[in-house]
Amino acid sequence: MNTPSHFAGAPRGLRSDWCGDLRIDDVGRTVSVTGWVARRREHGEHLAFVDLRDRSGIIQCVVDGAHEVRTEYVLRITGTVRERPDGTRNTELETGAVEIVDCDVEVLNTAEPLPFPIDDRRDVDETLRLRHRYVDLRRARLQRNLVGRARINAAIRGAMDRQGFVEVETPMLIASTPEGARDFVVPSRLSPGSFYALPQSPQLFKQLAMVGGVDRYYQIARCMRDEDLRADRQFEFSQLDLEASFVGQAEILDFVTEAVSDAVATISGDRPVTFETMTWYDAQERFGSDKPDVRFGVELTELTEVFASTDFNAFKAPCVKGIRVPGGAELTRNRLDALTDRAKKLGAKGLVWAKVDGPTAITSPIAKFLTDREVADTVEMLGAESGDLILIVADDRPMVRRVLGALRLDLGRPGVGDGGLRFVWVTEFPLFEGLDESGNPIPAHHPFTMPHPDDIGLLDATGDELTSIRSQAYDLVLNGWELGSGSVRIHRRDTQQRIFGLLGIGADEAQEKFGFLLDAFRFGAPPHAGFAFGIDRLTALLLGEENIREVIAYPKTQSGADPLTGAPSPIEAGQLTELGLRVVVPQPR
Ligand code: ASP
């Protein structure tokens, strides 16, 4: 990945070589290495083996004479590289064929016993790890992750530069950007009572940059969203954020594909060959999700027609779909009951299961309610064979998709790092994802997204009909994780005002919140489109980490705290006064 040979020509300071770099070819050379004592083993009275570790790896040094050297002391060792004697080679170490002898040891610093051992194989309490993150960072896994992340960023920058994009920094102290989350706010000292928001994304600034003729903008941008934290979410995260003028969806997909392919190649050596494209509707119909994990089959199969005139009441529903679980007939009754409970928790009225005994025969509690034709058609439509399990849900369409989509993942999803990297572009997202309490539509992406050209006529619709309008928004999905989103933007003032109106944002409110954007649209805004994807998620997936905290140098805990610095913490009374603030601590209820 980022081996020392990449930076062979760079200044070396106290070292002549990196620990992990020494090989048979170096035998006979006098070298100086620097780093931390990973391990010390006594060998007789005056001889010790010291494993010295730096970012690149570990080298064994044979140290003569009495030295006060303990674990994690910082040393500089100068000596001669020799081939390890027969029978003492260590095949688990890249440097395992050699060692350094005749060592001159300089102790650059001592170290107290560590709060936890630096050992990738041992699980350590996360709060303890984060409190001493500087110790944790010494672990090979985290070193690998940070280097991997830097390589990914460099690859992305290279790809964007090559495609004519200009890296532009946008401000951190801004007025609110709507991305659907809560803002973090910063009080203003010079205007007491007023606040900046930290950017949820650079969305409006990048659009303004298009009006400003930048034409192709990108930034590896820090974004801040005050949302509940999860394995794949932190308060602050990094995105590759981009925007381009005089292009549409196809070109944006190409730009991003290029950057992501380079990022993958820098880690794995191969460029991913395919990025599939699928409409939102098809993703929902086939995978029951807007972030389809296409590493495995178990697709949703439409059965509505099969049961169009059924006598079985539970299947008299607007939509009936099924999934086939290969070999699933082996599932125990307990497991099937658990699946039924899960389906009900997800909102289904029930779940029908059937074990397939042959092309026209099933074992199922509801078998007696179905006609022979219904059984035969179901088995055939699903392509099921003897020994398979069929699960069927009947309800309204969104519910059927949601329930079967979730069961499909429960039953078939490969682990992180298995099944290769399957990228899917999901296009034609709905413009609105539903209606709020006042009956106003809620934007599925954000309010700056252009409706699908074929659906513009539907903007006059009302109520639920509005949710059938498609947009020109698209997502990039990797192995069932949403990596990022983007859209073709509205670039005309009248269209933007119309969308604000539909969203229930009146003319005055629109002017107050987004007046600067509407104003900019008066002065020649070019057609433009963009995208942003999460670097933390991409890095975690490429490095096979389940939790993005493992690829972030200084992450927060699940409750948003930083045990290292103690943030968040109260500020001094004087600071509050200066900011014109008074703290009202909520009383426990
Ligand atoms: N600003 C959007 C986001 O952060 C991405 C985009 O539309 O470009 O999700």
Side-chain angles (χ1 to χ4, degrees):
M1 222 188 307
N2 194 14
T3 52
S5 51
H6 274 80
F7 41 86
R12 294 187 164 220
L14 295 179
R15 55 164 68 92
S16 68
D17 289 79
W18 294 74
C19 296
D21 218 11
L22 296 172
R23 298 286 185 277
I24 281 288
D25 284 352
D26 296 302
V27 166
R29 286 181 54 219
T30 300
V31 296
S32 293
V33 287
T34 50
W36 290 260
V37 176
R39 206 150 78 107
R40 176 200 163 107
R41 277 155 296 138
E42 301 307 322
H43 197 75
E45 212 176 320
H46 286 305
L47 198 63
F49 289 111
V50 171
D51 286 349
L52 199 68
R53 181 193 69 238
D54 67 13
R55 197 180 83 195
S56 66
I58 283 179
I59 181 75
Q60 173 168 292
C61 307
V62 185
V63 174
D64 246 330
H67 285 285
E68 170 73 10
V69 164
R70 303 208 177 150
T71 313
E72 298 306 313
Y73 271 30
V74 187
L75 307 184
R76 174 176 193 243
I77 293 182
T78 303
T80 309
V81 182
R82 80 162 183 206
E83 188 172 357
R84 290 203 198 184
D86 273 352
T88 66
R89 289 185 169 216
N90 181 348
T91 47
E92 276 174 24
L93 275 189
E94 297 227 50
T95 62
V98 295
E99 59 192 4
I100 302 179
V101 293
D102 301 328
C103 293
D104 175 29
V105 177
E106 283 169 70
V107 176
L108 303 178
N109 210 344
T110 58
E112 293 177 21
L114 297 186
F116 52 87
I118 297 173
D119 181 348
D120 279 327
R121 284 161 303 191
R122 235 173 292 190
D123 271 342
V124 175
D125 170 64
E126 199 183 32
T127 309
L128 189 64
R129 283 180 59 194
L130 294 184
R131 177 169 313 135
H132 303 279
R133 187 61 159 179
Y134 43 84
V135 169
D136 202 32
L137 286 177
R138 287 184 202 160
R139 296 158 64 200
R141 173 173 162 197
L142 286 177
Q143 295 281 328
R144 175 198 73 135
N145 290 355
L146 291 188
V147 171
R149 187 183 177 115
R151 298 300 309 159
I152 289 171
N153 280 347
I156 288 172
R157 287 204 161 92
M160 297 316 288
D161 189 54
R162 216 169 52 233
Q163 300 182 97
F165 283 77
V166 181
E167 186 168 10
V168 178
E169 287 160 277
T170 52
M172 297 302 274
L173 298 173
I174 64 169
S176 182
T177 338
E179 292 283 358
R182 226 176 271 119
D183 283 325
F184 278 102
V185 294
V186 177
S188 158
R189 177 179 59 83
L190 295 178
S191 312
S194 290
F195 295 81
Y196 300 98
L198 298 177
Q200 292 188 34
S201 86
Q203 182 64 35
L204 293 167
F205 290 100
K206 64 176 175 173
Q207 290 194 241
L208 294 176
M210 296 303 103
V211 186
V214 172
D215 208 294
R216 294 185 183 187
Y217 142 97
Y218 87 100
Q219 180 179 198
I220 294 190
R222 302 299 289 278
C223 304
M224 257 72 55
R225 298 183 191 176
D226 189 358
E227 302 177 287
D228 290 339
L229 306 187
R230 297 192 309 231
D232 62 351
R233 196 186 269 166
Q234 285 268 310
F235 285 153
E236 16 179 339
F237 58 94
S238 304
Q239 304 200 87
L240 167 67
D241 192 50
L242 62 106
E243 196 76 15
S245 296
F246 307 109
V247 299
Q249 172 178 310
E251 292 81 6
I252 296 290
L253 266 49
D254 283 349
F255 293 140
V256 177
T257 298
E258 187 73 6
V260 171
S261 302
D262 278 10
V264 173
T266 199
I267 299 299
S268 69
D270 298 323
R271 281 169 72 89
V273 227
T274 51
F275 282 64
E276 266 171 76
T277 303
M278 183 183 306
T279 62
W280 178 91
Y281 182 84
D282 286 345
Q284 291 286 5
E285 284 291 286
R286 291 174 52 198
F287 300 95
S289 168
D290 57 8
K291 24 181 192 292
D293 188 339
V294 299
R295 285 176 298 167
F296 65 106
V298 196
E299 289 190 24
L300 280 53
T301 301
E302 186 69 37
L303 299 171
T304 311
E305 276 301 303
V306 174
F307 296 104
S309 48
T310 187
D311 290 330
F312 180 43
N313 276 334
F315 283 180
K316 290 181 181 160
C319 171
V320 186
K321 278 179 181 283
I323 56 175
R324 162 186 168 241
V325 187
E330 284 174 3
L331 293 193
T332 60
R333 194 54 201 250
N334 274 349
R335 187 77 210 280
L336 292 170
D337 288 347
L339 286 172
T340 308
D341 283 350
R342 167 107 164 105
K344 286 186 182 159
K345 280 209 186 85
L346 289 160
K349 290 183 202 78
L351 175 72
V352 164
W353 59 260
K355 297 182 174 182
V356 180
D357 303 319
T360 54
I362 55 169
T363 305
S364 168
I366 60 110
K368 57 179 178 293
F369 303 118
L370 304 185
T371 64
D372 290 348
R373 173 102 320 259
E374 285 168 346
V375 170
D377 285 355
T378 300
V379 172
E380 192 193 328
M381 298 283 285
L382 281 151
E385 289 170 9
S386 201
D388 291 348
L389 177 76
I390 290 175
L391 299 174
I392 302 175
V393 174
D395 215 306
D396 59 36
R397 192 160 288 275
M399 179 64 74
V400 171
R401 290 166 170 170
R402 180 161 85 227
V403 175
L404 284 179
L407 294 181
R408 166 181 185 268
L409 290 179
D410 289 354
L411 288 162
R413 190 169 201 179
V416 174
D418 296 333
L421 298 173
R422 298 287 301 268
F423 289 93
V424 183
W425 284 109
V426 180
T427 61
E428 296 182 15
F429 265 67
L431 190 60
F432 306 118
E433 66 182 10
L435 305 177
D436 66 14
E437 293 121 30
S438 349
N440 292 319
I442 306 164
H445 186 39
H446 49 49
F448 318 108
T449 301
M450 185 83 100
H452 193 284
D454 297 345
D455 291 358
I456 299 259
L458 297 172
L459 287 176
D460 292 324
T462 48
D464 276 338
E465 249 184 14
L466 283 169
T467 54
S468 65
I469 302 176
R470 288 167 299 163
S471 73
Q472 297 187 55
Y474 31 82
D475 270 10
L476 179 60
V477 174
L478 170 56
N479 293 357
W481 288 38
E482 182 199 323
L483 268 191
S485 312
S487 55
V488 175
R489 322 298 184 186
I490 298 165
H491 65 281
R492 292 183 46 155
R493 186 177 153 89
D494 50 353
T495 315
Q496 187 64 70
Q497 278 168 323
R498 188 160 177 211
I499 294 290
F500 283 150
L502 270 176
L503 296 173
I505 303 175
D508 290 347
E509 189 186 347
Q511 194 55 39
E512 186 195 326
K513 283 194 178 151
F514 307 115
F516 59 95
L517 182 75
L518 293 171
D519 283 350
F521 283 1
R522 292 215 298 244
F523 300 110
H528 58 283
F531 196 75
F533 71 76
I535 302 228
D536 308 283
R537 281 187 197 180
L538 177 67
T539 307
L541 282 165
L542 293 184
L543 295 174
E545 291 287 4
E546 300 209 14
N547 194 316
I548 58 168
R549 295 199 286 272
E550 302 296 338
V551 299
I552 298 174
Y554 302 103
K556 304 266 186 301
T557 61
Q558 197 83 21
S559 56
D562 175 9
L564 175 67
T565 62
S569 53
I571 55 172
E572 283 170 15
Q575 266 175 301
L576 287 173
T577 314
E578 201 172 40
L579 295 167
L581 294 179
R582 187 174 321 127
V583 175
V584 182
V585 181
Q587 295 300 316
R589 269 183 283 174

